[in-house]
Amino acid sequence: MVRTTRLQREALLRVFSRNDPKPEHPMNVKAWWRRYRAFRRTALPGWECIMIRWCGMWLGIEHDGYTHS
């Protein structure tokens, strides 16, 4: 797993939540959290950022959380 900053992890959560919003019922949160952690593990190191594959494109997330395609 790639080392990330807190701002990068928050940006990853925002990107993940676009397709898979957090469930309201507490019984479903555990499974949602496992899917998010699996998504986070797919991040690859890039040059000065981390790269994540999302919806058929690559997103770069800078150290300050700025996300770009």
Side-chain angles (χ1 to χ4, degrees):
M1 193 152 83
V2 178
R3 291 184 72 90
T4 57
T5 65
R6 181 173 188 227
L7 294 171
Q8 285 174 322
R9 288 188 299 273
E10 290 173 0
L12 280 169
L13 182 61
R14 281 192 305 272
V15 169
F16 177 74
S17 294
R18 291 177 192 170
N19 283 350
D20 193 352
K22 189 173 182 178
E24 293 181 15
H25 196 278
M27 296 289 285
N28 300 330
V29 171
K30 192 172 187 180
W32 178 83
W33 195 251
R34 272 186 264 138
R35 289 191 306 271
Y36 164 67
R37 289 183 51 97
F39 173 74
R40 201 172 81 183
R41 285 187 194 106
T42 64
L44 301 171
W47 191 72
E48 298 287 327
C49 65
I50 60 170
M51 301 296 291
I52 192 86
R53 181 109 175 141
W54 181 75
C55 289
M57 64 181 149
W58 286 96
L59 297 178
I61 302 176
E62 305 290 336
H63 294 287
D64 62 357
Y66 178 72
T67 305
H68 53 88
S69 58

